[in-house]
Amino acid sequence: MRKVTLVRRLPLLALCGILTVGSAAAPSPNAPAIAQSVPSDIDARVEAILAGMSLDQKLAQVVMPDTSSFSAADMAQYRFGSYLSGGNSGPGGEERAPPARWLALADANWDAAMAPRADGRTPIPTIWAIDALHGHNNIVGATLFPHNIGLGATRDPELVRAIGAATAAEIAVTGIDWTFAPTLAVVRDPRWGRTYESYSERPDVVASMAGAMVEGLQGTPGTLDFLGPDKVIATAKHFLGDGGTGGKDQGNTVASEADLRRIHAAGYVPAITAGVQTVMASFSSVNGVKQHGDKVHLTGYLRGPFGETVLGFKGLVVGDWNGHGQVPGCSVESCAESFNAGLDIFMVPDAWKGLLASTTAQVKSGEISMARLDEAVRRILRVKLAAGLFEKGRPSSRPLAGKVELLASAEHRALARRAVRESLVLLKNNGNLLPLKPAQRVLVAGDGADNIAMQAGGWTITWQGGGDLTKADFPKAQSIYDGIADAVRTAGGSAMLSKDGSFTAKPDVAIVVFGEKPYAEFMGDVDTLEFHDDYKSYKTMQRLRAAGVPVVAVFLSGRPMWVNPEINAADAFVAAFLPGSEGGGVADVLFAKPDGGIAHDFRGTLSFSWPNGPMPAKLDTPRDPGTLFPFGYGLRLADHTLVGPLRETAPAGQVVSSRIAVLGRTGLPAGWGMTLAEAGSALVPISSNAGQSPSGVLVLRGIDRERQEDARLAIWRGGVSARVMVSASRTLDLSAPGQALLIDLRVVAKPTGRVMIGVKPAGPATAKPADPLMVDVTALLADGSISWRTVAIPLRCLAPRATLRGVDAPFVIETAGRLSLAVSDIRIAPASGRVLQCPAKPR
């Protein structure tokens, strides 16, 4: 990394006091030594600033809106202490905005926050935060490192430290101050959609990476590089117990206090010791208590003097996206309970005006004491002083600002490629097929072969990743296929890309790259770990082997999965997790040197147990029959280990529910699609949570029900018949008796015309598409209720059961009138809720 001139500012010895602890309790004998006092000049400066602040200034410090919901004029009026850009909140709503636009937005909000105040009081710098989880992943052209699940497989804290430093430098290029990373969840059930954000199911692995990543991002405490110009503020998240919810996002962790601390707090001790400036409260609950309102843990355990029973954290606690609104008795616009429990900053993306008003009233009434408000503001000011924000000046004036050559620099790309090599885990290498000779005819197949968005996973340019992202969105990245082609052609071989594995000239070997489509957070929650792509990859590999072609499988996933059929169909099987932007790192280990020697051996070992069925392995259970490959497993090229044949049927007792999710709060099932259409126009595929029909008569967008964008709002403007349709990845048999189409919905604006809902049967391949089977549901939507409710449409209302044996679109809704309808959970299941009375004859 280039040398930079350090900004002169206050002494950096444990500046913000996050490295400091009270002396009331002796540290644990096993605890690392940390600074024991706060420099008096920092205390004095905090108190001087605090004394000069008005009530309005103090309140503004504890509110964090999203950039999509406020303007620079709002910043000038309200002077927010911090703000964020969520995963879909690029400058001006443009997710692909170039780095210069991000820096310009940083300047605009800085200028507004620091403009002279009408009351003559001193302005307070604002902080901009972002989710940079595997590199500066919101920025087109930035380096994308492997997600944490892959980094955990490396068992290399120094590599993680270097990745943190590279990420911090790239964040600084865009003028951003703060990242909501690292995630320190110890995930005990990989059905959770955030599993890939975790380093491991084991607390010791998470602990080994936590401090290294924090120091990479922030620098080393007590040195001049601590929070210097090429560093950013880090966040340890999500406190506490987020990984213990049984695979459910924002669920409930049931655990003893001892297990909470031994397992789920393991990463926080080294993170706090490393000087982490902020901690984010978890959406989830512990033993039924929402963590955004859990004073016992947010204040008592997190903040008491460091020792056997408390962590001694002195920084600030920030909420998660409207998480305070889930505390009993609260709403997103009002939650004194959360603030009094120990939350210092409300993350309130768009309801900030209401929250400011209610919090102001609560302070004036005494429901929130002035002492508690001052305590929170002190913590915020200390972090800002530690980061040098009072001295750094305008974002574009800082040493690394605008230096776009640092984004995906040669140094950073080499580091990412090394991380890919070290994170790959070799699960099978029968006959020691690997390493491959590069001077061969190599066929590369599979959905993930030439798909950088798929290999990067969620939190890539957009919140969910994938969708409509193409290779053009990754100008400084390399797909797995391109990396293979480079290696092979350099050695005199040939490489051919064939997504379906077909060929004319027989190849010497085939590499099939496949796996999960990108997702993030609750949209990645699954009921089972069974991998689904309708056996497409399995069949491709079978065809290749039947033709006498050896097969190497490269599996992309954010978690361990039950892929026994695919492992059986391959001669060699590599768990690549989500490697990021440097696909060449995969080729580095798959291929030998031209002379046949090993170029790079496999080094990765599983940081999560690999299941032997659709349900998770039983952790900490020796010889668990539900575990195929145990924690720590990983072959080397010289190993002579024969794998298989493996059982391809689910173990007894692991029965999957007959419930079919159509459009859940976790999004569409993998491989399914949604389209919008209007009369006389082509279908418009929807690749994210938002879109519109060709003329705009039908508009769809994501909205919050209980979580971030866990519902969809469809708005019909009327005049033309328009339709929303969800299509399955395979033909569904919906003929079982007693089944219904269940929809959780809220009528925002009542229909002005007839509304039809139904399913579309699969027609013969040679015929035109079949018409949907629909029923009139206008009466269900026209009663004036605006609350969320469940309605059920018995499938027998649509057609005789025999007709429902082949359905390719299990949800269709259409109207020519005006209607605003929110939906959040559509499924095929036994009828419940308000049930539609079938017309006399099925329609």
Side-chain angles (χ1 to χ4, degrees):
M1 187 180 301
R2 63 170 58 214
K3 295 179 68 175
V4 296
T5 303
L6 293 175
V7 178
R8 290 184 59 83
R9 47 192 165 88
L10 293 169
L12 287 168
L13 178 60
L15 264 185
C16 73
I18 295 167
L19 301 178
T20 68
V21 296
S23 56
S28 161
N30 299 320
I34 54 180
Q36 296 293 308
S37 62
V38 182
S40 59
D41 53 354
I42 297 300
D43 279 341
R45 193 168 180 192
V46 167
E47 293 305 321
I49 295 169
L50 186 66
M53 295 175 69
S54 67
L55 176 59
D56 286 348
Q57 277 186 297
K58 292 177 181 179
L59 288 164
Q61 293 299 303
V62 305
V63 171
M64 173 187 278
D66 185 85
T67 50
S68 64
S69 73
F70 74 91
S71 64
D74 291 324
M75 177 65 81
Q77 179 179 353
Y78 294 96
R79 310 295 177 111
F80 307 114
S82 59
Y83 61 99
L84 81 150
S85 286
N88 292 332
S89 298
E94 176 50 59
E95 294 164 343
R96 296 171 172 85
R101 289 271 305 280
W102 291 83
L103 185 58
L105 182 58
D107 273 349
N109 283 319
W110 178 273
D111 292 345
M114 298 303 289
R117 295 176 55 91
D119 61 9
R121 295 179 187 271
T122 302
I124 308 298
T126 188
I127 323 176
W128 188 3
I130 199 167
D131 289 278
L133 304 183
H134 63 128
H136 197 11
N137 45 256
N138 287 80
I139 307 300
V140 172
T143 312
L144 298 173
F145 295 97
H147 269 292
N148 285 354
I149 189 172
L151 298 184
T154 71
R155 306 293 202 279
D156 189 344
E158 292 310 309
L159 172 64
V160 168
R161 188 188 311 274
I163 288 170
T167 300
E170 295 198 16
I171 294 171
V173 170
T174 55
I176 297 172
D177 314 287
W178 182 2
T179 176
F180 295 138
T183 299
L184 301 181
V186 180
V187 176
R188 308 293 279 177
D189 187 330
R191 292 177 295 177
W192 188 31
R194 304 192 79 156
T195 296
Y196 63 77
E197 294 183 46
S198 169
Y199 295 109
S200 179
E201 69 188 26
R202 291 273 291 266
D204 56 328
V205 175
V206 174
S208 72
M209 301 298 186
M213 180 56 82
V214 168
E215 289 197 358
L217 291 166
Q218 295 188 166
T220 304
T223 68
L224 286 177
D225 84 320
F226 185 62
L227 289 171
D230 59 345
K231 301 298 180 186
V232 294
I233 297 164
T235 304
K237 68 180 190 183
H238 309 84
F239 191 84
L240 177 66
D242 52 344
T245 59
K248 299 297 183 183
D249 192 64
Q250 304 180 26
N252 182 38
T253 294
V254 178
S256 68
E257 194 66 26
D259 280 349
L260 277 174
R261 299 179 182 195
R262 177 180 63 86
I263 298 171
H264 297 291
Y268 290 88
V269 174
I272 291 169
T273 301
V276 72
Q277 303 293 284
T278 73
V279 164
M280 182 180 287
S282 179
F283 274 123
S284 57
S285 303
V286 168
N287 296 323
V289 179
K290 279 288 182 183
Q291 288 305 279
H292 275 68
D294 186 357
K295 189 170 184 177
V296 169
H297 290 112
L298 277 187
T299 296
Y301 177 46
L302 180 61
R303 293 203 177 275
F306 189 90
E308 290 284 1
T309 58
V310 285
L311 293 175
F313 178 63
K314 304 299 180 185
L316 69 84
V317 174
V318 62
D320 207 339
W321 188 280
N322 281 335
H324 58 278
Q326 298 183 12
V327 175
C330 289
S331 71
V332 296
E333 293 186 342
S334 178
C335 196
E337 293 90 338
S338 188
F339 197 72
N340 287 333
L343 199 74
D344 298 312
I345 295 178
F346 292 103
M347 186 189 292
V348 55
D350 48 21
W352 50 269
K353 284 186 179 179
L355 185 70
L356 265 175
S358 65
T359 308
T360 300
Q362 288 156 358
V363 171
K364 289 181 177 179
S365 72
E367 187 177 359
I368 296 174
S369 70
M370 184 59 70
R372 172 68 191 104
L373 178 62
D374 284 349
E375 178 182 58
V377 175
R378 281 190 185 94
R379 293 166 179 165
I380 295 164
L381 292 174
R382 289 163 70 84
V383 171
K384 292 182 176 184
L385 286 168
L389 289 177
F390 287 83
E391 294 77 35
K392 278 184 174 179
R394 202 167 186 249
S396 62
S397 71
R398 300 171 189 172
L400 298 190
K403 296 189 181 301
V404 294
E405 63 272 19
L406 288 178
L407 299 176
S409 66
E411 179 184 356
H412 292 175
R413 291 192 66 182
L415 178 65
R417 187 163 177 158
R418 172 192 160 198
V420 174
R421 289 195 299 266
E422 294 190 19
S423 67
L424 304 176
V425 180
L426 182 59
L427 300 183
K428 177 181 180 180
N429 192 23
N430 285 9
N432 289 87
L433 176 62
L434 298 177
L436 303 172
K437 296 177 182 178
Q440 298 189 86
R441 293 187 301 275
V442 180
L443 182 146
V444 187
D447 291 340
D450 198 34
N451 190 330
I452 298 172
M454 187 169 165
Q455 72 192 43
W459 291 108
T460 298
I461 301 181
T462 65
W463 174 37
Q464 293 296 312
D468 61 355
L469 296 176
T470 69
K471 287 181 74 173
D473 295 309
F474 302 93
K476 297 182 180 180
Q478 186 178 51
S479 72
I480 293 173
Y481 166 72
D482 286 335
I484 290 169
D486 280 355
V488 170
R489 290 166 185 165
T490 299
S494 62
M496 179 180 72
L497 179 64
S498 172
K499 192 172 180 180
D500 65 1
S502 61
F503 58 84
T504 51
K506 182 181 175 181
D508 297 310
V509 68
I511 300 170
V512 181
V513 187
F514 67 103
E516 290 188 293
K517 299 300 189 290
Y519 54 81
E521 298 193 46
F522 57 88
M523 291 194 177
D525 284 5
V526 292
D527 292 327
T528 80
L529 295 174
E530 182 177 6
F531 172 68
H532 288 288
D533 70 350
D534 291 328
Y535 293 98
K536 180 171 60 177
S537 304
Y538 171 75
K539 291 175 182 176
T540 296
M541 291 187 282
Q542 278 196 322
R543 287 195 305 270
L544 289 164
R545 291 184 72 189
V549 179
V551 173
V552 178
V554 176
F555 185 55
L556 302 173
S557 70
R559 57 187 134 218
M561 301 196 77
W562 186 41
V563 284
N564 284 16
E566 289 79 8
I567 293 175
N568 284 340
D571 298 285
F573 195 98
V574 177
F577 301 108
L578 299 171
S581 57
E582 298 307 314
V586 176
D588 288 345
V589 295
L590 294 185
F591 290 94
K593 296 178 180 177
D595 64 5
I598 293 175
H600 296 279
D601 204 346
F602 283 86
R603 295 183 56 182
T605 58
L606 292 177
S607 58
F608 286 85
S609 303
W610 200 275
N612 196 24
M615 303 309 290
K618 294 180 180 179
L619 304 187
D620 308 318
T621 303
R623 294 181 295 279
D624 167 38
T627 300
L628 178 61
F629 301 116
F631 169 89
Y633 176 91
L635 300 177
R636 300 296 179 260
L637 290 170
D639 291 339
H640 297 278
T641 300
L642 187 66
V643 174
L646 305 174
R647 182 189 61 218
E648 296 187 6
T649 57
Q654 293 195 11
V655 179
V656 180
S657 169
S658 61
R659 177 187 189 273
I660 300 175
V662 177
L663 173 64
R665 299 191 197 185
T666 59
L668 295 170
W672 289 35
M674 178 185 289
T675 55
L676 305 183
E678 58 188 60
S681 297
L683 298 178
V684 177
I686 302 300
S687 58
S688 61
N689 290 348
Q692 65 178 33
S693 63
S695 72
V697 71
L698 172 57
V699 177
L700 186 79
R701 62 183 176 88
I703 60 170
D704 298 352
R705 179 183 179 185
E706 295 178 354
R707 318 177 199 176
Q708 182 180 356
E709 295 193 22
D710 65 344
R712 310 290 185 276
L713 176 64
I715 302 171
W716 284 263
R717 295 189 169 125
V720 176
S721 182
R723 169 188 298 175
V724 179
M725 182 166 68
V726 174
S727 299
S729 61
R730 65 190 187 279
T731 300
L732 304 174
D733 182 352
L734 304 184
S735 64
Q739 295 290 86
L741 179 61
L742 272 65
I743 309 167
D744 284 3
L745 57 80
R746 181 168 69 88
V747 180
V748 179
K750 291 191 292 184
T752 62
R754 189 172 69 160
V755 182
M756 306 293 289
I757 290 181
V759 302
K760 187 177 80 65
T766 56
K768 72 174 185 177
D771 292 328
L773 305 169
M774 309 278 271
V775 67
D776 190 337
V777 298
T778 312
L780 287 178
L781 308 180
D783 62 0
S785 173
I786 61 171
S787 59
W788 283 99
R789 55 200 166 113
T790 299
V791 300
I793 302 166
L795 295 183
R796 60 182 172 81
C797 296
L798 303 175
R801 284 170 52 194
T803 309
L804 298 172
R805 286 186 180 134
V807 170
D808 63 11
F811 176 73
V812 184
I813 179 170
E814 181 173 351
T815 184
R818 294 187 299 276
L819 170 67
S820 293
L821 183 69
V823 297
S824 82
D825 192 6
I826 305 172
R827 65 271 189 201
I828 305 295
S832 63
R834 183 175 178 184
V835 181
L836 178 74
Q837 296 301 309
C838 294
K841 293 182 180 181
R843 301 188 59 176

